[in-house]
Amino acid sequence: MTTAPAISSRLDDPESARETGRAKIDWAFEHMPILSALREEFDANQPLAGETIGMAMHVEAKTAALVETMADAGAEIAITGCNPLSTHDGVSAALDAHESITSYAERGAEGEAYYDAIDAVLAHEPTVTVDDGGDLVFRVHEDHPELIDTIIGGTEETTTGVHRLRAMDDDDALEYPVFAVNDTPMKRLFDNVHGTGESALANIAMTTNLSWAGKDVVVAGYGDCGRGVAKKAAGQNANVIVTEVEPRRALEAHMEGYDVMPMAEAAEVGDVFLTTTGNKNVITRAHFERMDDGVVLANAGHFDVEVNLDHLSELAVSEREAREGVREYELADGRRLNVLAEGRLVNLASPIGLGHPVGVMDQSFGVQAVCVREFVANREEYAAGVHNVPDELDIEIAEIKLAAEGVEYDALTDDQAEYMDSWQHGT
Ligand code: NAI
C-alpha cells in the first residue's frame, strides 16, 4: 500500500541535498551528548534488532539524530513529517540514503500528499510508532486497524498529541500502549518551557527583524510553552500580557508580574501576539477588528487553528507577502495585520525554522529513545492506553546530561533515605 515515493526520487539534485542535510545532522549530533551516549550503547547491544519503527515528526537535523540512533540499534525505520512546513528536504534526503531508513518527508506536503506519506510509512508495517501530534496513531486506528495486533507500542512527543491520545483512551478507542513522552519532566520542563520560549522568540525576531524591547507582547495560554515565552520575552524587555481560561494559571501569571486580561482587551494593546494554547479560535474576527496597524501574529501551538485565518481573509481587502514568511492582510480601513508562517508553529515553520535549540531536543529525544527501548524489552508489561514514562528512564536521561555537562550533585545518605521513607519520625 505504498502511496508516496521516498524523498530521494522527488528531488532535482538529491546528491547536493544529501550533503547539506548530512552536515546539519553531523553538527546536531556533535551537540547531543545524550543521544551520542545512547547511540554507543545501542550500537553495542542492538536493543531494537528486528523491529520496524514508523515515525511522523518534524524532519530536521535533531530528529535525524534520533532516527539514526535507533537505526544503529538494529531497527528499520520509515519516517515522514508531522507538519507541512517543518521538513528540511536535505535532512530528509540524507536520512533516506541510510540503508535502514526510508524517508517520505518533503517540505510543503499538505492535504492528500501529507496523508499519502503517512500511509507510505504505515506500509512498512511498524512494530513501534513514534509520533508528534498523534496523526500516525490516529491513522493506524482509523484506516489500518490490521496493524494494531503487531504494534508493541508508541511514543508521543507533544502536548496536543497526548491530549488526543488521552481522549481516545477515555473513549476506550486506543488499542495499543503509548508513552506520554511530552508529560515527563525531562521533556516538558525543558523543551516546552525553554525550547519554545527561546526558539519562538528567535524565529519571530529573525523573520520580522523587529526588536522585543518596549513592545507589548500578548501571550495566549500560560501553560508550559506560555510560561517559557512570557519569561524570555520579559527578559528581552518586552511588556508581557497573558490571556488564559484556567483560573490558577491566570493567577500564576498575575503573581509572576504579568498583566492578565481577556483577549478582547489585549487585542487593543498588543504589538505582537503569540498563541500557545493547543486550542482553536483563540484569535478571531472580533479581535482582528480591534488590533492596531502593523501588529504581528504568530502561533507556537501544534496545529494552525489558534489564529483564525479564514476570519482574517474574510475581513481583508488585500493580501500580500510583505517579507519572506510574513503575510500582510490589509483591512478596509487601511490597517495591516502581519501573520507569520501561515499561522503554523512559528519556531519550526518559519523560513529559518530551526526549531528548538539542539541541547533541549537531545533531552526530549533521549527520552524517546529509551521509551522505544523499554517497549521492545518489556512489551508484555504494558496494556493498551496512555502510560507515563517510568521515572527511572527519565532519571537515566538526567544523569547522562549532568555527566555530559560536568555537573556533580549530592546523593542521599542511607540515614537520610531511611528518614524520607518513614512515617514514624515526627516532632
Ligand atoms: P499546556 O496544556 O501546558 O498549556 C496550554 C494553556 O493554554 C493552558 O494553561 C490552557 O488553560 C490555556 N488555554 C486553552 N485555551 C485557551 C484560550 N482559549 N485562551 C487562553 N488560554 C487558553 O500546553 P503546552 O505544553 O504549553 O503546549 C501548548 C501547545 O504548544 C500544544 O499545542 C503543544 O503541542 C504545543 N507545543 C509546541 C512546541 C513548539 O515547538 N512550538 C513545543 C511543545 C509544545
Side-chain angles (χ1 to χ4, degrees), residues 58 132-133 156-163 182 187-188 191-193 195-196 199-200 219-227 243-247 249-250 263 275-282 299-303 306 345-348 355-356:
H58 302 292
D132 188 330
E156 172 50 54
E157 172 75 6
T158 198
T159 317
T160 287
V162 171
H163 277 183
N182 176 77
K187 196 278 180 182
R188 178 173 78 75
D191 175 317
N192 299 29
V193 178
T196 311
S199 67
V219 180
Y222 198 69
D224 289 318
C225 294
R227 286 185 192 103
T243 72
E244 247 299 342
V245 293
E246 212 283 332
R249 299 251 167 114
M263 184 57 85
T275 51
T276 68
T277 70
N279 203 347
K280 66 190 257 200
N281 291 334
V282 177
N299 167 50
H302 187 76
F303 288 121
E306 308 214 6
L345 71 185
V346 68
N347 52 327
L348 283 145
H356 288 3

Side-chain angles (χ1 to χ4, degrees), residues 273-290:
F273 295 80
L274 183 55
T275 51
T276 68
T277 70
N279 203 347
K280 66 190 257 200
N281 291 334
V282 177
I283 302 183
T284 60
R285 179 191 305 272
H287 307 121
F288 299 133
E289 282 170 344
R290 292 169 170 225

Side-chain angles (χ1 to χ4, degrees), residues 251 303 364:
L251 183 59
F303 288 121
S364 303

Side-chain angles (χ1 to χ4, degrees), residues 318-348:
S318 69
E319 297 179 24
R320 71 179 183 113
E321 208 66 14
R323 187 181 154 86
E324 197 189 358
V326 182
R327 190 148 190 87
E328 178 194 273
Y329 294 76
E330 186 170 350
L331 309 189
D333 59 7
R335 283 178 299 133
R336 290 152 306 164
L337 314 189
N338 298 299
V339 176
L340 306 196
E342 302 176 9
R344 299 185 192 277
L345 71 185
V346 68
N347 52 327
L348 283 145

Side-chain angles (χ1 to χ4, degrees), residues 78-373:
I79 183 168
T80 184
C82 66
N83 183 293
L85 291 186
S86 63
T87 295
H88 291 220
D89 284 343
V91 169
S92 181
L95 282 176
D96 197 48
H98 191 294
E99 59 179 358
S100 310
I101 301 169
T102 312
S103 178
Y104 298 96
E106 186 177 17
R107 186 177 169 88
E110 50 190 332
E112 212 178 312
Y114 177 85
Y115 282 101
D116 282 352
I118 287 191
D119 286 342
V121 166
L122 294 177
H124 290 255
E125 301 182 1
T127 52
V128 177
T129 60
V130 176
D131 226 331
D132 188 330
D135 284 345
L136 196 56
V137 172
F138 191 70
R139 192 75 169 178
V140 167
H141 285 73
E142 279 290 291
D143 293 315
H144 307 285
E146 72 283 359
L147 297 176
I148 288 171
D149 277 352
T150 44
I151 294 181
I152 305 166
T155 60
E156 172 50 54
E157 172 75 6
T158 198
T159 317
T160 287
V162 171
H163 277 183
R164 289 178 86 186
L165 290 168
R166 289 200 194 281
M168 280 177 87
D169 203 5
D170 289 347
D171 287 348
D172 289 328
L174 181 59
E175 295 191 44
Y176 63 85
V178 182
F179 278 130
V181 169
N182 176 77
D183 294 1
T184 204
M186 280 299 289
K187 196 278 180 182
R188 178 173 78 75
L189 298 180
F190 301 89
D191 175 317
N192 299 29
V193 178
H194 297 285
T196 311
E198 287 183 25
S199 67
L201 293 196
N203 276 281
I204 293 171
M206 285 188 283
T207 305
T208 60
N209 203 15
L210 297 175
S211 158
W212 294 105
K215 293 274 191 316
D216 288 309
V217 175
V218 178
V219 180
Y222 198 69
D224 289 318
C225 294
R227 286 185 192 103
V229 166
K231 188 182 175 75
K232 312 281 174 182
Q236 301 211 44
N237 297 353
N239 173 44
V240 174
I241 297 154
V242 169
T243 72
E244 247 299 342
V245 293
E246 212 283 332
R248 291 160 298 182
R249 299 251 167 114
L251 183 59
E252 192 187 335
H254 170 70
M255 298 289 273
E256 206 58 48
Y258 305 126
D259 292 329
V260 178
M261 61 183 79
M263 184 57 85
E265 281 175 40
E268 293 182 356
V269 289
D271 299 309
V272 180
F273 295 80
L274 183 55
T275 51
T276 68
T277 70
N279 203 347
K280 66 190 257 200
N281 291 334
V282 177
I283 302 183
T284 60
R285 179 191 305 272
H287 307 121
F288 299 133
E289 282 170 344
R290 292 169 170 225
M291 288 178 182
D292 283 340
D293 180 35
V295 299
V296 169
L297 296 143
N299 167 50
H302 187 76
F303 288 121
D304 58 343
V305 294
E306 308 214 6
V307 180
N308 191 320
L309 293 184
D310 291 337
H311 285 185
L312 189 52
S313 277
E314 285 159 21
L315 280 179
V317 291
S318 69
E319 297 179 24
R320 71 179 183 113
E321 208 66 14
R323 187 181 154 86
E324 197 189 358
V326 182
R327 190 148 190 87
E328 178 194 273
Y329 294 76
E330 186 170 350
L331 309 189
D333 59 7
R335 283 178 299 133
R336 290 152 306 164
L337 314 189
N338 298 299
V339 176
L340 306 196
E342 302 176 9
R344 299 185 192 277
L345 71 185
V346 68
N347 52 327
L348 283 145
S350 67
I352 298 155
L354 290 177
H356 288 3
V358 61
V360 166
M361 291 319 296
D362 191 28
Q363 294 185 199
S364 303
F365 289 156
V367 176
Q368 287 279 3
V370 294
C371 281
V372 172
R373 184 190 66 191

Side-chain angles (χ1 to χ4, degrees), residues 369-384:
V370 294
C371 281
V372 172
R373 184 190 66 191
E374 171 67 12
F375 269 139
V376 173
N378 296 310
R379 59 191 77 193
E380 62 294 333
E381 284 182 20
Y382 296 95

